[in-house]
Amino acid sequence: MEQSILDSETQEPEPKTYAYPTVAESWGALGWFLLMSLVVGIVAVPLFLHDSPTRRMITLVSVSELSKVLALVFLLWKVPAVRRVRLRLLASRELPIVYMLLPVLVLAQLVLRTLVVFLPLPDWTNKMLTELHQWPVLSFVVVCITAPILEELFFRGLLLSGLLKNYSPRKSIIQSSLLFGIIHLYPMHAVSAMVLGLFLGWLYYRTQSLGACIVAHSLNNMIGWTLMQQPPNALNESKAEMLRQLPPPLQLTLLLLAAAVLFVVACRRVQQATEPTKLIESNL
């Protein structure tokens, strides 16, 4: 009897099991994502050298979107834990109030993200986006439809959903938004995308809805796409030109304050209407 009690006291606790991904595994997933982009890009090099601008642009777009699909397919094939992840497009209870507030939230955070232009970042422009605006239909499909769907499936549906099961919401959202920013490569775009990722991560945590994240991401990109159609391509002007086009300091300050108030009020309303699942709350 005494021996069995001693055995039970000295028995080591079972090691904690983690859902996919851990922080390390999320970096690995990003590595496969970038590797797929590199491999597809190398294979498509002969097409990039083609004289036809239309064929070059279609190739660029195809490489960008195909690499996202291949990264998801590769992880599903190579990592057994990924196959156990349940990607649910909609939450168990979708709330109309969330979708009603999305335009306000997206527009407000987009205004606040203009502050990125004041950061001392390299003034690189995205040549692909600059050229893409010449094909409005193609650019709309890529920027406003396929990119939001594929990126939300990967970063919020696959990575963030697993991180939230292993870590606190704050750590999980920051990690997923950091990875989201990195894939945008160009410094100013990367920082801006990371801030967007923080918002989308919070939205997913509160709503558990990939659908809401896809809609918000798409609305955000639609505004950018609209700017791309305004000559000269407003989205890809130099930093100096962007700064020159900003409103005077007083008007800019009032605009930012109004956007901040709208954003906070709308976020509070979403927070009041939603409740994270018990599985995620257990990591708080």
Side-chain angles (χ1 to χ4, degrees):
M1 179 69 176
E2 292 180 358
Q3 184 63 37
S4 63
I5 294 175
L6 288 173
D7 290 342
S8 63
E9 290 178 349
T10 57
Q11 187 177 8
E12 295 184 0
E14 294 184 3
K16 181 180 178 180
T17 57
Y18 289 90
Y20 181 90
T22 61
V23 168
E25 288 171 332
S26 70
W27 283 108
L30 178 67
W32 286 118
F33 186 100
L34 296 176
L35 181 61
M36 291 297 109
S37 300
L38 179 62
V39 170
V40 175
I42 292 174
V43 172
V45 164
L47 296 176
F48 284 126
L49 303 177
H50 200 276
D51 293 335
S52 169
T54 303
R55 181 170 293 186
R56 277 203 311 271
M57 181 50 58
I58 292 175
T59 301
L60 280 169
V61 168
S62 300
V63 167
S64 173
E65 302 311 293
L66 183 59
S67 61
K68 297 170 187 176
V69 174
L70 289 178
L72 281 168
V73 171
F74 181 83
L75 288 172
L76 285 168
W77 168 64
K78 193 70 176 177
V79 184
V82 176
R83 294 196 291 271
R84 294 194 292 270
V85 176
R86 296 179 61 187
L87 291 176
R88 290 171 48 184
L89 182 61
L90 301 177
S92 56
R93 186 169 69 96
E94 290 287 330
L95 300 172
I97 185 64
V98 172
Y99 289 90
M100 291 170 62
L101 289 170
L102 284 183
V104 176
L105 284 165
V106 170
L107 187 59
Q109 62 85 33
L110 198 56
V111 171
L112 294 173
R113 278 165 50 211
T114 59
L115 290 171
V116 171
V117 76
F118 292 102
L119 297 178
L121 298 169
D123 190 11
W124 300 348
T125 57
N126 190 331
K127 187 177 179 181
M128 176 181 171
L129 283 178
T130 304
E131 295 179 352
L132 187 58
H133 84 284
Q134 300 174 28
W135 287 267
V137 175
L138 178 62
S139 62
F140 182 85
V141 171
V142 172
V143 172
C144 304
I145 300 177
T146 61
I149 292 174
L150 293 174
E151 289 173 7
E152 291 310 306
L153 284 174
F154 190 85
F155 289 97
R156 256 60 66 179
L158 178 61
L159 299 186
L160 180 57
S161 64
L163 289 168
L164 284 167
K165 295 172 185 174
N166 298 325
Y167 311 103
S168 68
R170 179 180 300 177
K171 182 175 182 178
S172 302
I173 292 169
I174 290 175
Q175 174 65 13
S176 64
S177 64
L178 175 61
L179 301 177
F180 181 63
I182 289 173
I183 69 159
H184 289 80
L185 300 178
Y186 297 88
M188 192 179 299
H189 292 179
V191 174
S192 182
M194 181 179 174
V195 177
L196 173 62
L198 291 172
F199 163 62
L200 293 171
W202 173 84
L203 183 64
Y204 179 78
Y205 165 64
R206 293 303 310 183
T207 65
Q208 298 298 290
S209 172
L210 268 179
C213 294
I214 290 171
V215 171
H217 195 157
S218 183
L219 286 173
N220 177 85
N221 288 10
M222 281 182 188
I223 296 173
W225 177 84
T226 302
L227 292 175
M228 287 169 62
Q229 309 311 309
Q230 308 304 314
N233 192 352
L235 192 64
N236 290 286
E237 293 176 343
S238 68
K239 184 189 295 187
E241 290 170 336
M242 290 181 183
L243 288 171
R244 279 197 298 270
Q245 291 187 12
L246 289 175
L250 179 59
Q251 294 180 21
L252 178 61
T253 301
L254 293 175
L255 179 62
L256 290 171
L257 285 174
V261 170
L262 280 174
F263 187 73
V264 170
V265 170
C267 282
R268 289 285 296 172
R269 186 66 189 89
V270 170
Q271 197 164 3
Q272 291 168 358
T274 57
E275 184 178 358
T277 63
K278 293 181 179 180
L279 177 62
I280 292 178
E281 286 181 330
S282 65
N283 293 303
L284 288 170

